[in-house]
Amino acid sequence: MATSLSSLDLNHVPDASKMRLGIVVTEWNSFITNKLLDGAYGALRKYGVADDNIQIFKVPGSIELTFGAQQLIKYGDVDAVIVLGCVIRGGTPHFDYVCDSVTQGITELNATQDIPVIFGVLTTDNQEQAEERAGGKLGNKGEESAISAIKMIDFVCKVKK
């Protein structure tokens, strides 16, 4: 079952005015990832993140997201990192390798780092499914990822008190 933005509790999005976020987005499938980036950026601004507190970096493809996120954690002075990408199934096993690699990489960062890394990578069977999740009938995974990042930063702040 697909997750849509309506699954998130939008009535309880914390104040994000003092939060600093980094976004790492792929150039690959930019016709989709640019829409995800627009959704994420728009949501961060909507919930109060200052423009100066949003860092955006592009990497060539989804495999590079893990390294990009790791470098942003190390040098970016951010409270969370959102990774945005789109992998569309093709006729070879490459899809499986890319999806496994980026999923494991981001999971490892979440397990070993002190800030959340939000997984906003679409893994779809075709372009139509990607478009549905990048501002289409199933919402925008970028926007959903931004809201998740805000909620996870708030979670970390509460746990560390």
Side-chain angles (χ1 to χ4, degrees), residues 3-150:
T3 301
S4 68
L5 190 58
S6 62
S7 299
L8 289 173
D9 182 358
L10 299 180
N11 294 318
H12 297 95
V13 179
D15 174 29
S17 60
K18 293 185 174 134
M19 295 180 182
R20 300 160 309 184
L21 289 105
I23 301 172
V24 182
V25 59
T26 64
E27 294 171 343
W28 193 260
N29 289 326
S30 63
F31 64 97
I32 296 294
T33 61
N34 287 338
K35 293 176 186 177
L36 296 174
L37 178 58
D38 289 345
Y41 182 82
L44 293 175
R45 296 293 290 136
K46 176 181 178 179
Y47 291 103
V49 179
D51 190 50
D52 290 348
N53 287 340
I54 303 170
Q55 298 179 49
I56 300 170
F57 294 94
K58 293 195 174 187
V59 296
S62 292
I63 294 283
E64 292 80 20
L65 286 169
T66 301
F67 182 78
Q70 185 261 350
Q71 291 298 294
L72 198 47
I73 291 167
K74 190 172 183 178
Y75 300 112
D77 192 28
V78 294
D79 300 312
V81 175
I82 301 165
V83 297
L84 301 172
C86 177
V87 187
I88 300 173
R89 187 180 300 278
T92 70
H94 183 69
F95 173 87
D96 297 318
Y97 300 132
V98 171
C99 293
D100 286 348
S101 175
V102 70
T103 301
Q104 290 175 6
I106 299 308
T107 298
E108 183 176 334
L109 288 176
N110 274 307
T112 60
Q113 302 299 309
D114 289 332
I115 68 168
V117 180
I118 306 303
F119 188 85
V121 179
L122 300 178
T123 57
T124 63
D125 288 325
N126 53 54
Q127 183 176 330
E128 180 183 354
Q129 288 178 348
E131 289 171 351
E132 289 173 347
R133 290 158 178 79
K137 68 182 181 180
L138 294 176
N140 187 307
K141 182 69 172 175
E143 181 179 0
E144 178 185 326
S145 297
I147 294 168
S148 294
I150 292 168

